[in-house]
Amino acid sequence: MIKRLTQWIDDRLGASSFAKQALNKVFPDHWSFLLGELALYCFLILVLTGVFLSFFFDPSVSESVYRGEYEPLNGVHVSNAYKSVLDLSFEVRAGLVMRQMHHWAALIFIAAMFVHMLRIFFTGAFRRPREINWLIGLTLLILGLLNGFSGYSLPDDLLSGTGLRIAYSVVLSIPVIGTWMAFLVFGGEFPAEQIIERLFVVHIFIVPVAIAGLMTAHLAIVWRQKHTQFPGPGRTEGNVVGEKLWPTYMTKSMALFFGVSAVVAILGGLVQINPVWLYGPFRAEQIPSPAQPDWYLGWLEGALRLFPPWEIRAFGFELPNPFYPAILLPGITFNLLYLWPFLEAKLTGDREPHHLLERARDHPVRTALGIAGLAFYLVLFAAASNDLLSKWLKIPVESITNAYRVLLLVFPPVAGLITYRLMDALRRTGAEGLMHLPLSALTRRTQE
Amino acid sequence: MENQGERSIRWIATAFGVSIVASLGLAVVYLLGGQPQAEGALLGAALGGISVGLVLWAKHLMPGGPEVQEREIRPEVAEAQAEVEETLQAGAEPIERRTFLAKMLGAAFAAFGIALLFPIRSLGGAPGRALFRTAWRPGSRVVRADGSPVRPEELAVDGILTVFPETHTEAADSQTLLIHLPEDVQPPGPPGWVPEGFVAFSKICTHAGCPVGLYEAESKKLFCPCHQSVFDVVDGAKPTEGPATRPLPQLPLSIDDSGFLVAQGDFEEPVGPGFWNRGRDD
């Protein structure tokens, strides 16, 4: 059977030499190398569950009176988009599980991409010759954020409608072209009727196609360049040590797909997510409180909350307040990330090709900067729930906001400095890990 | 060794068996009308069984490695690159020789690119004055979201109501907060705007446009739940905390001959979040 199939294909495509090479291809084995695969498989789950959802979702915002399974909203005016999500959740068999799986998979998808990026960063895997894949990967992360937000906004519920309203105000804040952009993107002054239908096209067609295309390129480049590996006995810049694609690596990879699918299925069935029927349909004059976005936009939400009441006005023109935290900050963030491989090469003068990874300690400055950056975004992320913290601790929200503002300025440099000292000590002593580090290594200054 | 292999086989078979049973269970649950928690758990078991089986199989019964493969260090690189360069240059030569044509082609592309921008214009109307105006007009009756007009006696002292201009309850930019201040409070704004202690402010936050939904009658302050801006009603709804930089615009009110609350006109400045030319209403 295998023989006949191989012959049939090779007769027509002449693919045997490639297939032989492919099946024997060696992949290095380390748990952290699976993070990218994890993202890939989440995307696959998103496509599968998303296709199912798209058969039932109606992106129109024309209103009708809800008459359905969910009693508390009976007789309420709702948009068709909202109604179709309710019907999908309560009346379509397996619909709720599919919807919740889709949402959970989206959260894990972005988390996997993010942690994957951290792994690449802290091990120096972005260095020559892998700069192109760093750029593609970062673009994938941004597209993931975009598709997360566009999908989150589709049900036309009160919570996501509030998110859209903030997004509109943020677009509006862009200098010179902001008003035009907001009107073109949203179809008019908020809440224009076209936005849900547009987001639907963006969410199920434009961005997913872009993601699929870039992921293919991402993988093709990994294939072409061969995976990096950690240094170790027998591992050099000139070889790859690991398992062959066929059968071991492929089997493990399939196991990962089924494993993450199982986790997503269990979450989708047992852990409620985005219960839009509790938020109610979108009404322009209503607002949920408290209101938090999905986790991956927490840093932007936190930045909007922490940025002081400042803005620049002159000659009747202005740069409104949301511009700084929600346009300027992400603009700087992503540009810095895009440029990082080139900046680092310039600063260190290291332009050699690398296939062996670095450990965090091998490059204390990079590790320290990375940790300081992470600390910065972590504070922003935490600040997105300053109202909840205020409620739990019974401290005025203003005090908490001020505390976060101080923390935002203090925590990153402190975290960075501590990291630098630790990494430097690890490098000097050669200790296996932080737990094995002798105390004396921390007190002595570097002598180089 | 034999024993170890057999034990692995038993575990792997069990995992696949669990998956089979879970899949059958899933079909049954579905046929019986479906139940989200059972569906999730069984689907998880079906997928998880396969996953566990595959992992054990790969770990215990497949070649493990380590395998070593050479990474090709490509010596022919420089030569190949030179060839590509040459080919590119050879092909570019006849194009470069016709500088005029090349320039015309460039201009054609540029013109076409500009022409391509125009369909984007169809995506939305021109902003025009839309952001500077709301639906409030002189004499607009103040109505609730259900369209019913408001008489002063219908709103208790310290009460608050979300109101719209009559026949425009769908106008999101016109949403307004009507507040009945007690007599002992000096109401904000020009004296002619606040009949019988009734004040009205735009409900749209001047920071990021959320409805300023919470009112604390005791402190006479409005809170925006989105980013925690606080507005002091008595002080003309000026922001006292949070990221907002401007007060909520005030709506001039009066009471008409039939005893209903009406607006004397539109807000005097744009409502809602800031934008580039907000200060230039001309």
Side-chain angles (χ1 to χ4, degrees):
Chain A
M1 177 63 199
I2 286 184
K3 188 176 173 192
R4 277 180 52 201
L5 189 68
T6 318
Q7 272 177 3
W8 195 91
I9 291 177
D10 193 48
D11 277 353
R12 282 148 190 89
L13 300 174
S16 280
S17 81
F18 173 75
K20 180 175 157 255
Q21 191 204 349
L23 293 171
N24 280 322
K25 196 173 179 66
V26 170
F27 285 87
D29 199 14
H30 189 269
W31 66 267
S32 70
F33 298 170
L34 296 179
L35 291 164
E37 264 178 68
L38 185 62
L40 171 69
Y41 292 140
C42 282
F43 182 67
L44 202 57
I45 298 170
L46 284 166
V47 171
L48 294 173
T49 51
V51 167
F52 182 87
L53 301 185
S54 70
F55 293 145
F56 300 96
F57 179 68
D58 172 3
S60 123
V61 292
S62 49
E63 292 210 340
S64 57
V65 174
Y66 179 73
R67 303 248 176 261
E69 286 280 306
Y70 187 66
E71 273 305 317
L73 285 176
N74 241 323
V76 174
H77 276 267
V78 299
S79 66
N80 287 343
Y82 186 74
K83 181 178 177 299
S84 69
V85 175
L86 256 53
D87 291 348
L88 173 64
S89 306
F90 293 113
E91 280 155 51
V92 175
R93 249 181 242 190
L96 181 63
V97 173
M98 285 286 191
R99 222 194 102 225
Q100 299 201 131
M101 279 178 70
H102 192 72
H103 203 129
W104 276 116
L107 299 188
I108 301 173
F109 176 51
I110 297 174
M113 285 196 287
F114 175 60
V115 182
H116 176 50
M117 185 183 81
L118 293 183
R119 200 282 290 170
I120 301 290
F121 180 86
F122 285 112
T123 59
F126 54 81
R127 292 172 300 167
R128 187 182 165 201
R130 293 183 175 75
E131 303 97 323
I132 300 174
N133 246 7
W134 171 263
L135 302 180
I136 295 178
L138 186 57
T139 311
L140 281 167
L141 178 63
I142 295 172
L143 289 173
L145 295 176
L146 200 63
N147 228 33
F149 184 70
S150 61
Y152 167 87
S153 302
L154 289 180
D156 200 26
D157 58 291
L158 191 55
L159 184 60
S160 74
T162 303
L164 268 183
R165 180 200 313 272
I166 297 170
Y168 166 84
S169 305
V170 166
V171 176
L172 207 59
S173 78
I174 298 171
V176 188
I177 55 167
T179 40
W180 270 97
M181 261 186 84
F183 273 59
L184 293 180
V185 171
F186 283 74
E189 190 176 2
F190 187 86
E193 298 212 321
Q194 293 91 330
I195 189 63
I196 302 284
E197 276 167 24
R198 285 183 186 177
L199 287 176
F200 187 53
V201 178
V202 168
H203 182 73
I204 74 163
F205 179 66
I206 299 176
V207 182
V209 167
I211 290 180
L214 286 174
M215 262 187 182
T216 310
H218 201 66
L219 286 170
I221 291 175
V222 170
W223 186 279
R224 170 84 182 131
Q225 297 181 328
K226 293 201 172 85
H227 207 287
T228 50
Q229 59 192 353
F230 280 105
R235 298 176 186 176
T236 69
E237 288 280 359
N239 69 10
V240 187
V241 180
E243 285 163 345
K244 282 186 178 170
L245 179 68
W246 178 252
T248 316
Y249 190 82
M250 201 181 259
T251 308
K252 282 187 182 173
S253 189
M254 272 171 66
L256 179 66
F257 169 66
F258 284 103
V260 63
S261 303
V263 171
V264 168
I266 289 166
L267 286 169
L270 301 182
V271 187
Q272 187 181 62
I273 188 160
N274 203 26
V276 290
W277 49 91
L278 297 182
Y279 309 146
F282 175 72
R283 293 279 315 170
E285 77 280 8
Q286 287 174 6
I287 179 95
S289 176
Q292 260 76 29
D294 272 352
W295 79 267
Y296 48 84
L297 289 184
W299 61 289
L300 286 174
E301 173 76 5
L304 276 167
R305 292 180 185 209
L306 288 197
F307 195 75
W310 298 338
E311 59 190 23
I312 299 172
R313 292 181 209 154
F315 311 112
F317 295 108
E318 67 184 39
L319 283 173
N321 181 282
F323 171 74
Y324 313 93
I327 297 282
L328 202 59
L329 172 76
I332 292 172
T333 303
F334 289 122
N335 274 303
L336 254 182
L337 285 170
Y338 271 119
L339 289 175
W340 184 264
F342 310 103
L343 286 177
E344 192 187 289
K346 205 176 172 72
L347 292 174
T348 58
D350 177 5
R351 294 173 197 281
E352 292 301 303
H354 296 280
H355 302 292
L356 283 179
L357 295 170
E358 289 180 310
R359 296 174 77 183
R361 68 181 65 175
D362 295 333
H363 204 311
V365 177
R366 180 205 295 141
T367 306
L369 287 174
I371 293 292
L374 265 186
F376 181 79
Y377 293 100
L378 191 70
V379 175
L380 290 181
F381 176 77
S385 49
N386 59 353
D387 51 341
L388 294 177
L389 194 63
S390 148
K391 215 161 99 183
W392 289 331
L393 298 181
K394 301 198 192 322
I395 297 173
V397 73
E398 293 80 37
S399 319
I400 294 198
T401 300
N402 283 329
Y404 274 131
R405 283 172 179 158
V406 173
L407 207 59
L408 188 67
L409 299 178
V410 174
F411 184 42
V414 170
L417 276 174
I418 293 176
T419 306
Y420 180 81
R421 291 298 289 274
L422 288 175
M423 290 305 127
D424 190 55
L426 280 176
R427 186 171 60 165
R428 274 184 291 112
T429 58
E432 208 171 295
L434 285 177
M435 291 303 144
H436 301 84
L437 203 58
L439 267 180
S440 58
L442 291 177
T443 49
R444 213 178 48 205
R445 294 205 164 269
T446 327
Q447 285 158 4
E448 279 179 280
Chain B
M1 190 62 211
E2 188 66 35
N3 229 342
Q4 168 75 38
E6 265 170 28
R7 217 172 16 209
S8 302
I9 290 173
R10 207 167 329 123
W11 279 112
I12 297 166
T14 309
F16 290 150
V18 167
S19 175
I20 293 167
V21 173
S23 288
L24 294 175
L26 189 60
V28 172
V29 168
Y30 191 87
L31 285 175
L32 291 178
Q35 203 282 336
Q37 282 81 4
E39 286 162 15
L42 288 169
L43 186 59
L47 294 162
I50 295 177
S51 175
V52 170
L54 286 176
V55 168
L56 294 176
W57 197 343
K59 254 193 133 79
H60 296 296
L61 303 173
M62 285 186 189
E67 303 274 347
V68 180
Q69 196 170 42
E70 292 308 304
R71 206 187 276 279
E72 48 182 313
I73 309 289
R74 292 170 300 144
E76 79 284 14
V77 162
E79 204 176 307
Q81 282 174 356
E83 272 170 33
V84 172
E85 251 177 69
E86 238 168 72
T87 315
L88 273 176
Q89 252 160 15
E93 205 260 337
I95 300 173
E96 279 170 350
R97 214 166 351 131
R98 308 268 177 242
T99 8
F100 173 65
L101 289 185
K103 275 181 190 157
M104 282 303 283
L105 180 63
F109 279 144
F112 184 57
I114 292 168
L116 272 186
L117 291 178
F118 282 85
I120 295 176
R121 175 64 181 75
S122 309
L123 290 175
R129 302 281 96 199
L131 293 173
F132 294 92
R133 304 220 174 95
T134 73
W136 289 103
R137 296 285 171 272
S140 293
R141 272 204 182 145
V142 171
V143 302
R144 300 177 181 84
D146 64 6
S148 59
V150 184
R151 288 175 180 281
E153 60 270 23
E154 290 166 358
L155 186 61
V157 170
D158 278 335
I160 184 165
L161 202 57
T162 299
V163 294
F164 293 87
E166 189 168 29
T167 70
H168 288 97
T169 50
E170 292 306 314
D173 62 355
S174 307
Q175 53 180 293
T176 298
L177 288 166
L178 179 69
I179 301 169
H180 191 177
L181 291 174
E183 272 174 29
D184 58 344
V185 172
Q186 168 72 34
W193 286 20
V194 277
E196 299 177 20
F198 281 84
V199 288
F201 291 101
S202 164
K203 193 179 178 179
I204 307 173
C205 186
T206 54
H207 173 234
C210 293
V212 183
L214 309 171
Y215 180 59
E216 194 181 69
E218 198 180 324
S219 63
K220 311 275 179 288
K221 279 180 176 165
L222 286 161
F223 298 84
C224 180
C226 280
H227 307 106
Q228 289 76 47
S229 289
V230 181
F231 301 90
D232 185 355
V233 170
V234 179
D235 193 18
K238 279 195 189 129
T240 59
E241 298 286 352
T245 55
R246 283 175 288 114
L248 302 167
Q250 186 172 358
L251 186 74
L253 290 179
S254 67
I255 295 170
D256 71 4
D257 299 337
S258 334
F260 290 108
L261 280 163
V262 294
Q264 296 181 33
D266 202 351
F267 296 98
E268 288 193 337
E269 50 186 309
V271 298
F275 50 96
W276 172 248
N277 56 337
R278 191 185 58 82
R280 298 179 76 94
D281 188 4
D282 43 38

